[in-house]
Amino acid sequence: MSQISISPYHRFKDPVEVLAFRGNLLTWYDREKRDLPWRRLAEAEVDLDRRAYAVWVSEVMLQQTQVATVISYYTRWMQKWPTLQDLASASLEEVNQLWAGLGYYSRGRRLQEGARKVVEELGGHMPRTAETLQQLLPGVGRYTAGAIASIAFGQATGVVDGNVVRVLCRVRAIGADPSSTPVSQQLWSFAQQLVDPVRPGDFNQAAMELGATVCTPQRPLCNRCPVQHLCQAHQRVEQEQLCASPRLPSSPEIEECALNTGQCQLCPPPSEPWDPTLGVTNFPRKASRKPPREECSATCVVEQPKARGGGRMLLVQRPHSGLLAGLWEFPSVTLEPSGQHPRQALLQELQSWAGPLPAACLRHLGEVVHTFSHIKLTYQVYGLTLDSDTLATTTPPGARWLTREEFCTAAVSTAMKKVFRVYEGQKPGTRQGSKRSLVATPLRQKRPSKGQQVLDGFLRPHRQ
């Protein structure tokens, strides 16, 4: 840290400011905190290992996912696997089933791997410090380790997530790229300086809560902020307004970083000056992101509607590593720009799973675009309806035929749900291209079966 040039302008001036920040933030949190299931569970649980597990699950689910979406997943997860031992004995298939639709599927897999390690190698006891949590548990990084250690075990260790980055960058007027090493190091230093030694877990949750509900990315509610008087960004806005007032021609000069000449590593570069139209949202600086790479795939919904026991569809399992590891999907093939025509490439893939198939019945239905964290994937969607005597007598390992009810509970990705909606909207007897497909049933039609009702609920997009 000694090699980083930082002006005193960005630091907290004295211990009084630190104490004021802690006290005001915790008082606000006690009054305004949201009632969330993982908080209730952690507060009520006296067993430290179970408390740490409850926090761990919530923190992993909340990575890159909104609170409103996580609540139902978290509740179902803790009902199914209330302890580390329960999760350790589950199968990857079960984990993927419950995680389906939550995204970033490797999180669930790593969570189960960690539970197994705790049970099989650590005697069923969670590591008690941020350092050992990060060292011993797969998939547990610095932030997650700090959150578990502070909330479950009371360790006075700070945490920095996206919400805390935003709060600290505004409070200390940090305009440099927060993802850069010098800035990241300083943010963690600030977090450690500020964390309350008596209530570290509550303090860390309060800082994240402030960023999530008040110090938001686009329209922050500065008039509701408990640390507004300590916020350098807010003070800059007030000074700008004073200087712009015709009634105050001798307004004081705006306080700025004395090293704001390209020397201070926390200031924005000279090429990105303060924009008065943005106010406090000048901070933090938005990191430049690489656009996701684009890929194409052909996928086919193969259905045998007149099979014994009801219609069924062919699904195949993805490899147990890489994107969407272990999930089930309709047979798909990656398309290369200079490769085979999608139809021929897909037909070869289908025949490897289901044996000889009638190529003439393969229908192109449309396309689905789904963006993962780093990939924009376009699916060319096909449909193939089979007679009962078309199928091969055996199904190879890694493939299975599912009824519609089974499809609803299988571990399939959101992208495959989108694919199936396209298929349903283009089936004979449905309106072409209807996004609603079979979700809405006209009043005069026969009431859908229980299985169809389950399917409709499964296909209805989650609100996020």
Side-chain angles (χ1 to χ4, degrees):
M1 295 299 295
S2 59
Q3 298 179 355
I4 301 176
S5 299
I6 299 175
S7 165
Y9 168 76
H10 297 289
R11 301 183 186 276
F12 290 94
K13 295 180 174 60
D14 52 50
V16 174
E17 279 195 341
V18 173
L19 291 174
F21 189 100
R22 288 175 184 165
N24 289 3
L25 185 60
L26 283 168
T27 298
W28 169 85
Y29 179 69
D30 290 338
R31 183 181 67 248
E32 301 291 342
K33 66 180 178 181
R34 291 171 290 181
D35 180 24
L36 300 172
W38 43 91
R39 288 177 179 166
R40 293 197 302 270
L41 197 56
E43 290 171 1
E45 182 56 67
V46 295
D47 183 278
L48 292 181
D49 293 308
R50 293 186 67 151
R51 184 192 306 170
Y53 170 62
V55 175
W56 186 13
V57 173
S58 69
E59 292 299 337
V60 171
M61 286 188 172
L62 287 165
Q63 294 168 12
Q64 307 292 329
T65 309
Q66 295 181 3
V67 167
T69 302
V70 168
I71 290 175
S72 61
Y73 280 91
Y74 181 83
T75 302
R76 291 196 300 271
W77 182 285
M78 297 306 295
Q79 287 173 346
K80 189 174 182 66
W81 302 303
T83 68
L84 283 159
Q85 289 74 15
D86 294 322
L87 178 58
S89 63
S91 67
L92 178 61
E93 174 77 7
E94 291 175 307
V95 170
N96 282 338
Q97 274 185 304
L98 197 149
W99 202 275
L102 194 56
Y104 299 91
Y105 294 89
S106 62
R107 295 179 296 168
R109 185 176 71 252
R110 286 294 188 90
L111 193 52
Q112 189 200 31
E113 289 173 0
R116 284 182 172 172
K117 182 166 185 178
V118 171
V119 171
E120 296 172 4
E121 300 179 25
L122 303 178
H125 298 296
M126 292 279 289
R128 294 301 199 251
T129 67
E131 295 75 19
T132 52
L133 283 161
Q134 187 175 355
Q135 178 184 5
L136 297 176
L137 298 186
V140 173
R142 187 176 183 181
Y143 161 74
T144 304
I148 298 171
S150 62
I151 299 171
F153 303 129
Q155 182 185 1
T157 183
V159 300
V160 176
D161 73 341
N163 287 314
V164 175
V165 165
R166 187 164 55 256
V167 169
L168 292 179
C169 282
R170 289 174 180 170
V171 168
R172 294 295 89 190
I174 298 173
D177 182 356
S179 65
S180 68
T181 299
V183 179
S184 178
Q185 289 177 343
Q186 187 58 54
L187 291 173
W188 278 96
S189 178
F190 280 146
Q192 188 61 42
Q193 179 187 8
L194 292 169
V195 66
D196 187 87
V198 178
R199 300 175 59 189
D202 285 342
F203 178 87
N204 286 335
Q205 291 182 91
M208 293 184 279
E209 186 90 338
L210 184 67
T213 63
V214 173
C215 195
T216 54
Q218 298 301 326
R219 287 180 287 276
L221 306 173
C222 293
N223 60 334
R224 300 185 188 178
C225 179
V227 293
Q228 183 189 79
H229 66 292
L230 296 171
C231 180
Q232 299 277 31
H234 180 71
Q235 291 170 16
R236 176 69 184 262
V237 171
E238 288 188 323
Q239 293 285 10
E240 289 276 358
Q241 291 172 347
L242 287 173
C243 290
S245 174
R247 298 182 181 180
L248 299 170
S250 58
S251 298
E253 292 185 3
I254 299 171
E255 181 186 5
E256 292 187 84
C257 175
L259 298 178
N260 193 12
T261 58
Q263 299 176 26
C264 177
Q265 290 183 279
L266 298 188
C267 281
S271 59
E272 297 185 19
W274 170 272
D275 183 345
T277 66
L278 296 178
V280 300
T281 62
N282 275 280
F283 308 104
R285 178 184 171 194
K286 293 181 177 61
S288 58
R289 293 183 179 180
K290 293 182 179 179
R293 72 175 187 268
E294 296 194 9
E295 293 185 1
C296 292
S297 178
T299 187
C300 184
V301 180
V302 181
E303 185 174 19
Q304 188 186 22
K306 297 181 180 179
R308 290 183 180 179
R312 56 183 190 165
M313 299 172 292
L314 178 66
L315 275 85
V316 299
Q317 192 170 33
R318 292 185 61 84
H320 288 284
S321 61
L323 183 68
L324 306 176
L327 295 185
W328 292 84
E329 66 179 7
F330 299 115
S332 305
V333 61
T334 301
L335 301 176
E336 301 296 337
S338 58
Q340 282 181 297
H341 187 277
R343 188 182 186 88
Q344 279 72 43
L346 183 59
L347 189 60
Q348 282 187 5
E349 180 71 12
L350 291 172
Q351 290 175 341
S352 70
W353 294 107
L357 295 171
C361 297
L362 188 62
R363 299 174 294 119
H364 183 259
L365 305 177
E367 68 177 37
V368 162
V369 178
H370 188 81
T371 302
F372 300 92
S373 58
H374 58 292
I375 301 172
K376 181 180 179 181
L377 186 51
T378 300
Y379 292 92
Q380 296 297 331
V381 181
Y382 290 79
L384 182 60
T385 302
L386 300 178
D387 297 326
S388 57
D389 57 354
T390 307
L391 297 176
T393 55
T394 59
T395 303
R400 63 183 184 179
W401 291 89
L402 301 181
T403 65
R404 290 180 169 231
E405 289 80 0
E406 291 169 336
F407 176 70
C408 292
T409 59
V412 298
S413 67
T414 302
M416 288 299 108
K417 294 181 184 181
K418 291 180 179 179
V419 166
F420 191 66
R421 282 199 292 271
V422 170
Y423 173 75
E424 285 288 84
Q426 297 293 344
K427 283 177 62 177
T430 64
R431 288 183 291 174
Q432 292 285 317
S434 170
K435 291 183 180 180
R436 293 178 65 85
S437 184
L438 300 181
V439 172
T441 304
L443 293 176
R444 295 186 180 180
Q445 287 187 6
K446 185 173 74 172
R447 181 179 178 142
S449 66
K450 182 178 179 181
Q452 184 62 52
Q453 293 176 24
V454 173
L455 179 64
D456 293 344
F458 173 77
L459 292 174
R460 190 172 295 117
H462 291 288
R463 293 184 178 180
Q464 299 190 16

PDB file of all heavy atoms in Angstrom, residues 16 48 75 97 115 134-135 139 144 146 168 174 228 242 247 253 267 272 288 318 338 349 360-361 375 379 384 426 436:
ATOM      1  N   VAL A  16     -13.051  10.047  14.638  1.00  0.00           N
ATOM      2  CA  VAL A  16     -14.412  10.520  14.878  1.00  0.00           C
ATOM      3  C   VAL A  16     -15.284  10.256  13.649  1.00  0.00           C
ATOM      4  O   VAL A  16     -16.452   9.856  13.766  1.00  0.00           O
ATOM      5  CB  VAL A  16     -14.411  12.018  15.238  1.00  0.00           C
ATOM      6  CG1 VAL A  16     -15.842  12.546  15.354  1.00  0.00           C
ATOM      7  CG2 VAL A  16     -13.657  12.246  16.543  1.00  0.00           C
ATOM      8  N   LEU A  48     -23.295 -22.966  15.395  1.00  0.00           N
ATOM      9  CA  LEU A  48     -22.446 -22.135  14.532  1.00  0.00           C
ATOM     10  C   LEU A  48     -22.285 -22.718  13.138  1.00  0.00           C
ATOM     11  O   LEU A  48     -22.232 -21.979  12.152  1.00  0.00           O
ATOM     12  CB  LEU A  48     -21.073 -21.930  15.181  1.00  0.00           C
ATOM     13  CG  LEU A  48     -21.043 -21.075  16.448  1.00  0.00           C
ATOM     14  CD1 LEU A  48     -19.620 -20.944  16.963  1.00  0.00           C
ATOM     15  CD2 LEU A  48     -21.636 -19.695  16.193  1.00  0.00           C
ATOM     16  N   THR A  75     -35.416 -20.468   0.014  1.00  0.00           N
ATOM     17  CA  THR A  75     -36.387 -21.143   0.883  1.00  0.00           C
ATOM     18  C   THR A  75     -36.506 -22.612   0.517  1.00  0.00           C
ATOM     19  O   THR A  75     -36.491 -23.500   1.399  1.00  0.00           O
ATOM     20  CB  THR A  75     -37.752 -20.446   0.780  1.00  0.00           C
ATOM     21  OG1 THR A  75     -37.610 -19.060   1.152  1.00  0.00           O
ATOM     22  CG2 THR A  75     -38.771 -21.111   1.684  1.00  0.00           C
ATOM     23  N   GLN A  97     -31.289 -29.557 -10.444  1.00  0.00           N
ATOM     24  CA  GLN A  97     -32.739 -29.418 -10.556  1.00  0.00           C
ATOM     25  C   GLN A  97     -33.236 -28.219  -9.776  1.00  0.00           C
ATOM     26  O   GLN A  97     -34.024 -27.417 -10.272  1.00  0.00           O
ATOM     27  CB  GLN A  97     -33.433 -30.692 -10.041  1.00  0.00           C
ATOM     28  CG  GLN A  97     -33.592 -31.790 -11.076  1.00  0.00           C
ATOM     29  CD  GLN A  97     -34.391 -32.952 -10.513  1.00  0.00           C
ATOM     30  OE1 GLN A  97     -34.026 -33.518  -9.490  1.00  0.00           O
ATOM     31  NE2 GLN A  97     -35.472 -33.299 -11.168  1.00  0.00           N
ATOM     32  N   ALA A 115     -19.641 -28.454   0.684  1.00  0.00           N
ATOM     33  CA  ALA A 115     -20.325 -29.163   1.770  1.00  0.00           C
ATOM     34  C   ALA A 115     -19.732 -30.550   1.970  1.00  0.00           C
ATOM     35  O   ALA A 115     -19.539 -31.007   3.106  1.00  0.00           O
ATOM     36  CB  ALA A 115     -21.817 -29.255   1.450  1.00  0.00           C
ATOM     37  N   GLN A 134     -11.563 -19.204   3.030  1.00  0.00           N
ATOM     38  CA  GLN A 134     -11.104 -19.004   1.654  1.00  0.00           C
ATOM     39  C   GLN A 134     -10.077 -20.052   1.257  1.00  0.00           C
ATOM     40  O   GLN A 134     -10.038 -20.504   0.107  1.00  0.00           O
ATOM     41  CB  GLN A 134     -10.520 -17.597   1.512  1.00  0.00           C
ATOM     42  CG  GLN A 134     -10.164 -17.223   0.078  1.00  0.00           C
ATOM     43  CD  GLN A 134      -9.692 -15.779  -0.031  1.00  0.00           C
ATOM     44  OE1 GLN A 134      -9.704 -15.026   0.943  1.00  0.00           O
ATOM     45  NE2 GLN A 134      -9.264 -15.385  -1.218  1.00  0.00           N
ATOM     46  N   GLN A 135      -9.273 -20.457   2.197  1.00  0.00           N
ATOM     47  CA  GLN A 135      -8.204 -21.416   1.910  1.00  0.00           C
ATOM     48  C   GLN A 135      -8.727 -22.832   1.705  1.00  0.00           C
ATOM     49  O   GLN A 135      -8.249 -23.564   0.828  1.00  0.00           O
ATOM     50  CB  GLN A 135      -7.186 -21.396   3.058  1.00  0.00           C
ATOM     51  CG  GLN A 135      -6.039 -22.392   2.902  1.00  0.00           C
ATOM     52  CD  GLN A 135      -5.122 -22.393   4.120  1.00  0.00           C
ATOM     53  OE1 GLN A 135      -5.378 -21.720   5.111  1.00  0.00           O
ATOM     54  NE2 GLN A 135      -4.053 -23.163   4.036  1.00  0.00           N
ATOM     55  N   GLY A 139     -14.488 -22.610  -4.282  1.00  0.00           N
ATOM     56  CA  GLY A 139     -15.451 -21.616  -4.730  1.00  0.00           C
ATOM     57  C   GLY A 139     -15.694 -20.482  -3.762  1.00  0.00           C
ATOM     58  O   GLY A 139     -16.482 -19.581  -4.056  1.00  0.00           O
ATOM     59  N   THR A 144     -16.990 -13.820  -0.055  1.00  0.00           N
ATOM     60  CA  THR A 144     -17.846 -14.808   0.588  1.00  0.00           C
ATOM     61  C   THR A 144     -17.269 -15.250   1.929  1.00  0.00           C
ATOM     62  O   THR A 144     -17.994 -15.406   2.913  1.00  0.00           O
ATOM     63  CB  THR A 144     -18.040 -16.030  -0.331  1.00  0.00           C
ATOM     64  OG1 THR A 144     -18.561 -15.594  -1.590  1.00  0.00           O
ATOM     65  CG2 THR A 144     -19.003 -17.035   0.280  1.00  0.00           C
ATOM     66  N   GLY A 146     -15.353 -13.485   3.916  1.00  0.00           N
ATOM     67  CA  GLY A 146     -15.543 -12.413   4.882  1.00  0.00           C
ATOM     68  C   GLY A 146     -16.976 -12.305   5.358  1.00  0.00           C
ATOM     69  O   GLY A 146     -17.240 -12.039   6.536  1.00  0.00           O
ATOM     70  N   LEU A 168     -18.563   3.092  -1.080  1.00  0.00           N
ATOM     71  CA  LEU A 168     -17.252   3.637  -0.724  1.00  0.00           C
ATOM     72  C   LEU A 168     -16.716   4.585  -1.789  1.00  0.00           C
ATOM     73  O   LEU A 168     -16.093   5.605  -1.465  1.00  0.00           O
ATOM     74  CB  LEU A 168     -16.261   2.498  -0.478  1.00  0.00           C
ATOM     75  CG  LEU A 168     -16.533   1.630   0.759  1.00  0.00           C
ATOM     76  CD1 LEU A 168     -15.483   0.527   0.869  1.00  0.00           C
ATOM     77  CD2 LEU A 168     -16.546   2.479   2.022  1.00  0.00           C
ATOM     78  N   ILE A 174     -14.012   8.316  -5.102  1.00  0.00           N
ATOM     79  CA  ILE A 174     -13.029   7.504  -5.827  1.00  0.00           C
ATOM     80  C   ILE A 174     -13.522   7.336  -7.259  1.00  0.00           C
ATOM     81  O   ILE A 174     -14.541   6.688  -7.507  1.00  0.00           O
ATOM     82  CB  ILE A 174     -12.838   6.137  -5.155  1.00  0.00           C
ATOM     83  CG1 ILE A 174     -12.301   6.336  -3.739  1.00  0.00           C
ATOM     84  CG2 ILE A 174     -11.900   5.261  -5.972  1.00  0.00           C
ATOM     85  CD1 ILE A 174     -12.234   5.059  -2.928  1.00  0.00           C
ATOM     86  N   GLN A 228     -24.760  10.669   4.662  1.00  0.00           N
ATOM     87  CA  GLN A 228     -24.696  11.724   3.645  1.00  0.00           C
ATOM     88  C   GLN A 228     -23.681  12.809   4.015  1.00  0.00           C
ATOM     89  O   GLN A 228     -22.946  13.306   3.153  1.00  0.00           O
ATOM     90  CB  GLN A 228     -26.082  12.347   3.465  1.00  0.00           C
ATOM     91  CG  GLN A 228     -26.169  13.406   2.374  1.00  0.00           C
ATOM     92  CD  GLN A 228     -27.507  14.118   2.405  1.00  0.00           C
ATOM     93  OE1 GLN A 228     -27.715  15.001   3.227  1.00  0.00           O
ATOM     94  NE2 GLN A 228     -28.416  13.725   1.526  1.00  0.00           N
ATOM     95  N   LEU A 242     -23.976  25.460  -5.304  1.00  0.00           N
ATOM     96  CA  LEU A 242     -23.701  26.785  -4.737  1.00  0.00           C
ATOM     97  C   LEU A 242     -22.971  27.678  -5.733  1.00  0.00           C
ATOM     98  O   LEU A 242     -23.294  28.860  -5.885  1.00  0.00           O
ATOM     99  CB  LEU A 242     -22.869  26.639  -3.458  1.00  0.00           C
ATOM    100  CG  LEU A 242     -23.591  26.095  -2.218  1.00  0.00           C
ATOM    101  CD1 LEU A 242     -22.605  25.854  -1.087  1.00  0.00           C
ATOM    102  CD2 LEU A 242     -24.676  27.072  -1.772  1.00  0.00           C
ATOM    103  N   ARG A 247     -27.110  34.025  -6.841  1.00  0.00           N
ATOM    104  CA  ARG A 247     -27.205  34.792  -5.605  1.00  0.00           C
ATOM    105  C   ARG A 247     -25.944  34.684  -4.754  1.00  0.00           C
ATOM    106  O   ARG A 247     -25.797  35.383  -3.767  1.00  0.00           O
ATOM    107  CB  ARG A 247     -28.396  34.297  -4.790  1.00  0.00           C
ATOM    108  CG  ARG A 247     -29.746  34.480  -5.489  1.00  0.00           C
ATOM    109  CD  ARG A 247     -30.867  34.006  -4.599  1.00  0.00           C
ATOM    110  NE  ARG A 247     -32.169  34.148  -5.271  1.00  0.00           N
ATOM    111  CZ  ARG A 247     -33.325  33.810  -4.714  1.00  0.00           C
ATOM    112  NH1 ARG A 247     -33.345  33.300  -3.482  1.00  0.00           N
ATOM    113  NH2 ARG A 247     -34.464  33.962  -5.376  1.00  0.00           N
ATOM    114  N   GLU A 253     -14.586  27.761  -3.295  1.00  0.00           N
ATOM    115  CA  GLU A 253     -14.139  26.835  -4.322  1.00  0.00           C
ATOM    116  C   GLU A 253     -14.435  25.401  -3.892  1.00  0.00           C
ATOM    117  O   GLU A 253     -14.461  25.075  -2.706  1.00  0.00           O
ATOM    118  CB  GLU A 253     -12.636  26.991  -4.560  1.00  0.00           C
ATOM    119  CG  GLU A 253     -12.264  28.315  -5.206  1.00  0.00           C
ATOM    120  CD  GLU A 253     -10.788  28.362  -5.541  1.00  0.00           C
ATOM    121  OE1 GLU A 253     -10.099  27.350  -5.309  1.00  0.00           O
ATOM    122  OE2 GLU A 253     -10.342  29.408  -6.030  1.00  0.00           O
ATOM    123  N   CYS A 267      -8.236   8.987  -8.138  1.00  0.00           N
ATOM    124  CA  CYS A 267      -8.985   9.982  -8.903  1.00  0.00           C
ATOM    125  C   CYS A 267      -9.250   9.480 -10.324  1.00  0.00           C
ATOM    126  O   CYS A 267      -8.499   8.650 -10.853  1.00  0.00           O
ATOM    127  CB  CYS A 267      -8.205  11.292  -8.976  1.00  0.00           C
ATOM    128  SG  CYS A 267      -8.337  12.281  -7.473  1.00  0.00           S
ATOM    129  N   GLU A 272     -11.507  12.069 -18.115  1.00  0.00           N
ATOM    130  CA  GLU A 272     -12.889  11.849 -17.675  1.00  0.00           C
ATOM    131  C   GLU A 272     -13.231  12.809 -16.540  1.00  0.00           C
ATOM    132  O   GLU A 272     -13.314  12.424 -15.375  1.00  0.00           O
ATOM    133  CB  GLU A 272     -13.097  10.398 -17.234  1.00  0.00           C
ATOM    134  CG  GLU A 272     -12.883   9.398 -18.358  1.00  0.00           C
ATOM    135  CD  GLU A 272     -13.204   7.971 -17.933  1.00  0.00           C
ATOM    136  OE1 GLU A 272     -13.922   7.807 -16.924  1.00  0.00           O
ATOM    137  OE2 GLU A 272     -12.725   7.039 -18.597  1.00  0.00           O
ATOM    138  N   SER A 288     -14.718  -0.757 -18.169  1.00  0.00           N
ATOM    139  CA  SER A 288     -14.975  -1.177 -19.546  1.00  0.00           C
ATOM    140  C   SER A 288     -15.068  -2.701 -19.592  1.00  0.00           C
ATOM    141  O   SER A 288     -14.235  -3.404 -19.025  1.00  0.00           O
ATOM    142  CB  SER A 288     -13.848  -0.699 -20.459  1.00  0.00           C
ATOM    143  OG  SER A 288     -12.604  -1.198 -20.018  1.00  0.00           O
ATOM    144  N   ARG A 318     -25.529 -32.449 -20.587  1.00  0.00           N
ATOM    145  CA  ARG A 318     -24.293 -31.767 -20.943  1.00  0.00           C
ATOM    146  C   ARG A 318     -23.118 -32.357 -20.158  1.00  0.00           C
ATOM    147  O   ARG A 318     -23.317 -33.020 -19.131  1.00  0.00           O
ATOM    148  CB  ARG A 318     -24.412 -30.267 -20.639  1.00  0.00           C
ATOM    149  CG  ARG A 318     -25.405 -29.548 -21.551  1.00  0.00           C
ATOM    150  CD  ARG A 318     -25.388 -28.045 -21.286  1.00  0.00           C
ATOM    151  NE  ARG A 318     -24.069 -27.484 -21.542  1.00  0.00           N
ATOM    152  CZ  ARG A 318     -23.629 -27.103 -22.738  1.00  0.00           C
ATOM    153  NH1 ARG A 318     -24.402 -27.239 -23.813  1.00  0.00           N
ATOM    154  NH2 ARG A 318     -22.425 -26.597 -22.880  1.00  0.00           N
ATOM    155  N   SER A 338     -18.039 -21.722 -40.960  1.00  0.00           N
ATOM    156  CA  SER A 338     -17.732 -22.369 -42.243  1.00  0.00           C
ATOM    157  C   SER A 338     -18.025 -23.859 -42.218  1.00  0.00           C
ATOM    158  O   SER A 338     -17.511 -24.614 -43.041  1.00  0.00           O
ATOM    159  CB  SER A 338     -16.255 -22.144 -42.595  1.00  0.00           C
ATOM    160  OG  SER A 338     -15.416 -22.651 -41.568  1.00  0.00           O
ATOM    161  N   GLU A 349     -26.327 -35.173 -35.214  1.00  0.00           N
ATOM    162  CA  GLU A 349     -26.333 -35.205 -33.755  1.00  0.00           C
ATOM    163  C   GLU A 349     -27.554 -35.966 -33.230  1.00  0.00           C
ATOM    164  O   GLU A 349     -27.450 -36.785 -32.314  1.00  0.00           O
ATOM    165  CB  GLU A 349     -26.321 -33.773 -33.200  1.00  0.00           C
ATOM    166  CG  GLU A 349     -26.326 -33.669 -31.683  1.00  0.00           C
ATOM    167  CD  GLU A 349     -25.019 -34.102 -31.049  1.00  0.00           C
ATOM    168  OE1 GLU A 349     -24.012 -34.275 -31.781  1.00  0.00           O
ATOM    169  OE2 GLU A 349     -24.995 -34.291 -29.817  1.00  0.00           O
ATOM    170  N   ALA A 360     -36.988 -35.534 -43.408  1.00  0.00           N
ATOM    171  CA  ALA A 360     -37.977 -34.639 -43.998  1.00  0.00           C
ATOM    172  C   ALA A 360     -38.891 -34.012 -42.946  1.00  0.00           C
ATOM    173  O   ALA A 360     -39.507 -32.977 -43.196  1.00  0.00           O
ATOM    174  CB  ALA A 360     -38.815 -35.405 -45.031  1.00  0.00           C
ATOM    175  N   CYS A 361     -38.979 -34.622 -41.783  1.00  0.00           N
ATOM    176  CA  CYS A 361     -39.875 -34.112 -40.737  1.00  0.00           C
ATOM    177  C   CYS A 361     -39.209 -33.076 -39.839  1.00  0.00           C
ATOM    178  O   CYS A 361     -39.844 -32.540 -38.925  1.00  0.00           O
ATOM    179  CB  CYS A 361     -40.377 -35.271 -39.871  1.00  0.00           C
ATOM    180  SG  CYS A 361     -41.367 -36.479 -40.783  1.00  0.00           S
ATOM    181  N   ILE A 375     -21.004 -15.107 -23.039  1.00  0.00           N
ATOM    182  CA  ILE A 375     -21.359 -15.665 -24.350  1.00  0.00           C
ATOM    183  C   ILE A 375     -22.761 -15.211 -24.742  1.00  0.00           C
ATOM    184  O   ILE A 375     -23.688 -15.304 -23.937  1.00  0.00           O
ATOM    185  CB  ILE A 375     -21.311 -17.209 -24.345  1.00  0.00           C
ATOM    186  CG1 ILE A 375     -19.921 -17.716 -23.976  1.00  0.00           C
ATOM    187  CG2 ILE A 375     -21.727 -17.765 -25.702  1.00  0.00           C
ATOM    188  CD1 ILE A 375     -19.860 -19.225 -23.771  1.00  0.00           C
ATOM    189  N   TYR A 379     -29.644 -19.772 -30.642  1.00  0.00           N
ATOM    190  CA  TYR A 379     -30.097 -21.134 -30.929  1.00  0.00           C
ATOM    191  C   TYR A 379     -31.024 -21.109 -32.154  1.00  0.00           C
ATOM    192  O   TYR A 379     -32.026 -20.374 -32.150  1.00  0.00           O
ATOM    193  CB  TYR A 379     -30.892 -21.706 -29.755  1.00  0.00           C
ATOM    194  CG  TYR A 379     -30.107 -21.967 -28.499  1.00  0.00           C
ATOM    195  CD1 TYR A 379     -30.009 -20.992 -27.507  1.00  0.00           C
ATOM    196  CD2 TYR A 379     -29.487 -23.193 -28.276  1.00  0.00           C
ATOM    197  CE1 TYR A 379     -29.317 -21.228 -26.344  1.00  0.00           C
ATOM    198  CE2 TYR A 379     -28.791 -23.442 -27.111  1.00  0.00           C
ATOM    199  CZ  TYR A 379     -28.704 -22.452 -26.141  1.00  0.00           C
ATOM    200  OH  TYR A 379     -28.020 -22.691 -24.969  1.00  0.00           O
ATOM    201  N   LEU A 384     -39.137 -31.879 -34.231  1.00  0.00           N
ATOM    202  CA  LEU A 384     -39.263 -33.160 -34.915  1.00  0.00           C
ATOM    203  C   LEU A 384     -40.267 -34.019 -34.157  1.00  0.00           C
ATOM    204  O   LEU A 384     -40.067 -34.343 -32.986  1.00  0.00           O
ATOM    205  CB  LEU A 384     -37.905 -33.864 -34.973  1.00  0.00           C
ATOM    206  CG  LEU A 384     -37.850 -35.216 -35.700  1.00  0.00           C
ATOM    207  CD1 LEU A 384     -38.278 -35.072 -37.159  1.00  0.00           C
ATOM    208  CD2 LEU A 384     -36.447 -35.801 -35.622  1.00  0.00           C
ATOM    209  N   GLN A 426     -45.095 -22.805 -32.189  1.00  0.00           N
ATOM    210  CA  GLN A 426     -45.112 -23.134 -33.608  1.00  0.00           C
ATOM    211  C   GLN A 426     -45.721 -24.496 -33.906  1.00  0.00           C
ATOM    212  O   GLN A 426     -45.728 -24.945 -35.046  1.00  0.00           O
ATOM    213  CB  GLN A 426     -43.676 -23.106 -34.168  1.00  0.00           C
ATOM    214  CG  GLN A 426     -43.003 -21.745 -34.096  1.00  0.00           C
ATOM    215  CD  GLN A 426     -43.657 -20.735 -35.008  1.00  0.00           C
ATOM    216  OE1 GLN A 426     -44.414 -21.100 -35.897  1.00  0.00           O
ATOM    217  NE2 GLN A 426     -43.368 -19.464 -34.807  1.00  0.00           N
ATOM    218  N   ARG A 436     -47.281 -16.176 -25.958  1.00  0.00           N
ATOM    219  CA  ARG A 436     -48.017 -16.713 -24.829  1.00  0.00           C
ATOM    220  C   ARG A 436     -48.181 -18.213 -24.935  1.00  0.00           C
ATOM    221  O   ARG A 436     -48.352 -18.913 -23.946  1.00  0.00           O
ATOM    222  CB  ARG A 436     -49.384 -16.037 -24.730  1.00  0.00           C
ATOM    223  CG  ARG A 436     -49.281 -14.569 -24.377  1.00  0.00           C
ATOM    224  CD  ARG A 436     -50.659 -13.928 -24.345  1.00  0.00           C
ATOM    225  NE  ARG A 436     -51.480 -14.501 -23.280  1.00  0.00           N
ATOM    226  CZ  ARG A 436     -51.450 -14.093 -22.031  1.00  0.00           C
ATOM    227  NH1 ARG A 436     -50.629 -13.141 -21.680  1.00  0.00           N
ATOM    228  NH2 ARG A 436     -52.225 -14.639 -21.122  1.00  0.00           N
TER     229      ARG A 436
END
